[in-house]
Amino acid sequence: MATAKEFIDHVARVDGVAGCLLVRNDGILLGQTVDDPEMYSTLLVISANLAAEVMEKAGFSYCRHIGFNRQAKSHFYVFPIDKYLLGVVQSSDCHASEMLESVHRLISRVSTNRSTVSIDGS
Amino acid sequence: MKQMIDELKSIPGVVGACIYSARTGLKVNNLPGIFKPDRLTAVGKNLAKLCSAGRMSFDDLTDVSLHYDESVVVARELQKNLLVFVVCDPSFNQNLLTMSFNLLQEEVQESGVALDEFETQPKSQPAEAAPADGQVLSEEQLIGLFNEMKDLLGKVLGPMAGFIFDEMVEVWEQQGAADIGRIEGLIQLLNEEIADPEKIKHYRKLITPELKKYQKG
């Protein structure tokens, strides 16, 4: 069974990912490959909570991801995964939609337990 | 302002758009009726917080996008306290929308008009008129009232009062329109910071004449 660290390593290897981190929804950092993980962790938790509130108010069903789009093109994405939050920093020169699709594919493998990957935080 | 969001709605994949003010709430929208104004106000409030959080982390933040299963919500701060957001189909053209947001933002900035202030000023009354209950305070009146309340809070909380007051005003402004009808909400926030029942009572006694002055004119 893979650990959070191994999951992070999988995500970090996706083309177009400059760095990533995984936190629990209470903000506890489980693994990261970014500078300043504390700043990112806080943003992950705040943004996931706000996106959930928007979802409830607007009547949407499921939040796939949140994007913070930047002039420098190194956009930051938040992926809610059950009680975990994955943050991904995009490389400024990547094809965003392909990168996002790859990350979603990895997440879907984690969530459905179709692979050996299971985030247990250990 | 309506014309601005109608132009956004003409972009393929865009269902509709809204302009939201952190001070006065929902200003205009052209979304289908299924999106009720009170719900859109709540959405706008959360998006404003999301943009603020993003801006604190990234000083070059342009937009925030929320990708749900059936829709995407994209928000852009046009100026401080003024937000535009659109609801789109997942297949929308993000580049086109980004360019339209850029043009809209440029238009707002070049117009030199603080849209937020312009729209909230009651047109049928002189700007100097003191607001009655439920009306929106002008910037000048708001600052006047806040300065009085902040000074009086100093008599209760001492040197930290100014810092606490500013922080609570920020929270209060994010919760809805800056009108005298909502002033109890601000007082409630301040009371929570004061925390001592006796001091809360004392502060209430100190600010009551000031509040009456603004409410009665």
Side-chain angles (χ1 to χ4, degrees):
Chain A
M1 181 176 285
T3 63
K5 187 179 176 312
E6 286 167 322
F7 175 65
I8 284 292
D9 290 341
H10 275 289
V11 176
R13 282 199 295 270
V14 169
D15 272 350
V17 172
C20 59
L21 74 161
L22 185 71
V23 302
R24 252 181 12 207
N25 60 7
D26 58 2
I28 301 292
L29 183 66
L30 300 176
Q32 53 85 19
T33 65
V34 290
D35 296 329
D36 200 0
E38 288 78 17
M39 179 276 281
Y40 285 115
S41 302
T42 309
L43 185 60
L44 279 171
V45 175
I46 290 174
S47 58
N49 288 339
L50 289 168
E53 285 187 38
V54 169
M55 183 171 76
E56 189 202 325
K57 296 292 178 194
F60 300 138
S61 58
Y62 173 73
C63 181
R64 289 170 57 80
H65 66 266
I66 304 153
F68 290 92
N69 305 315
R70 305 176 60 187
Q71 273 173 358
K73 304 288 179 201
S74 48
H75 307 323
F76 179 64
Y77 299 97
V78 180
F79 301 82
I81 318 169
D82 298 328
K83 59 179 180 178
Y84 302 96
L85 300 166
L86 172 69
V88 169
V89 180
Q90 177 195 303
S91 305
S92 52
D93 57 350
C94 92
H95 195 287
S97 61
E98 281 175 17
M99 183 274 286
L100 289 168
E101 203 176 309
S102 301
V103 173
H104 275 298
R105 211 161 30 236
L106 266 178
I107 290 171
S108 119
R109 288 173 62 200
V110 169
S111 305
T112 57
N113 288 324
R114 272 190 279 125
S115 76
T116 56
V117 181
S118 169
I119 307 166
D120 59 8
S122 55
Chain B
M1 206 185 275
K2 182 78 166 60
Q3 191 193 344
M4 291 177 181
I5 60 166
D6 284 345
E7 283 171 17
L8 290 175
K9 195 175 180 174
S10 67
I11 298 170
V14 173
V15 176
C18 283
I19 293 186
Y20 171 83
S21 160
R23 287 190 175 169
T24 55
L26 191 67
K27 306 201 72 67
V28 62
N29 92 84
N30 59 12
L31 279 155
I34 194 170
F35 294 94
K36 303 286 180 205
D38 58 330
R39 295 272 169 159
L40 290 175
T41 302
V43 168
K45 195 168 94 177
N46 285 317
L47 291 173
K49 285 183 192 169
L50 203 48
C51 286
S52 294
R55 201 170 4 89
M56 281 178 206
S57 304
F58 311 116
D59 52 14
D60 62 345
L61 182 79
T62 53
D63 311 320
V64 176
S65 54
L66 307 177
H67 299 250
Y68 297 99
D69 255 1
E70 56 281 90
S71 298
V72 179
V73 180
V74 189
R76 157 89 56 111
E77 267 187 338
L78 294 174
Q79 56 179 225
K80 193 169 160 54
N81 293 325
L82 195 68
L83 186 85
V84 60
F85 65 93
V86 297
V87 177
C88 317
D89 294 329
S91 59
F92 80 108
N93 184 332
Q94 181 143 15
N95 290 335
L96 192 54
L97 181 64
T98 301
M99 183 169 283
S100 300
F101 272 177
N102 290 344
L103 291 171
L104 177 59
Q105 192 162 22
E106 207 173 277
E107 196 178 335
V108 167
Q109 284 166 358
E110 277 180 5
S111 72
V113 178
L115 288 177
D116 194 20
E117 301 304 326
F118 179 75
E119 292 291 323
T120 54
Q121 192 70 17
K123 292 182 178 66
S124 57
Q125 294 178 7
E128 296 79 28
D133 203 22
Q135 280 188 309
V136 176
L137 293 170
S138 72
E139 183 85 27
E140 200 180 329
Q141 287 167 326
L142 198 65
I143 291 168
L145 175 60
F146 283 177
N147 284 341
E148 299 285 358
M149 288 176 70
K150 193 194 285 192
D151 286 349
L152 294 169
L153 188 65
K155 292 183 181 177
V156 178
L157 286 184
M160 284 299 285
F163 174 78
I164 290 170
F165 189 87
D166 290 342
E167 207 170 38
M168 290 307 107
V169 165
E170 205 170 302
V171 173
W172 180 72
E173 284 181 339
Q174 286 178 351
Q175 290 174 345
D179 69 50
I180 196 78
R182 289 189 57 251
I183 203 71
E184 280 302 323
L186 175 60
I187 296 167
Q188 184 56 41
L189 289 170
L190 294 169
N191 287 348
E192 283 166 20
E193 294 298 314
I194 297 169
D196 179 324
E198 279 305 309
K199 287 182 178 174
I200 288 172
K201 216 163 127 183
H202 181 48
Y203 184 56
R204 167 68 70 175
K205 201 173 162 187
L206 290 172
I207 61 172
T208 297
E210 295 304 324
L211 293 175
K212 281 184 179 164
K213 195 164 79 185
Y214 279 88
Q215 284 166 336
K216 287 180 181 172

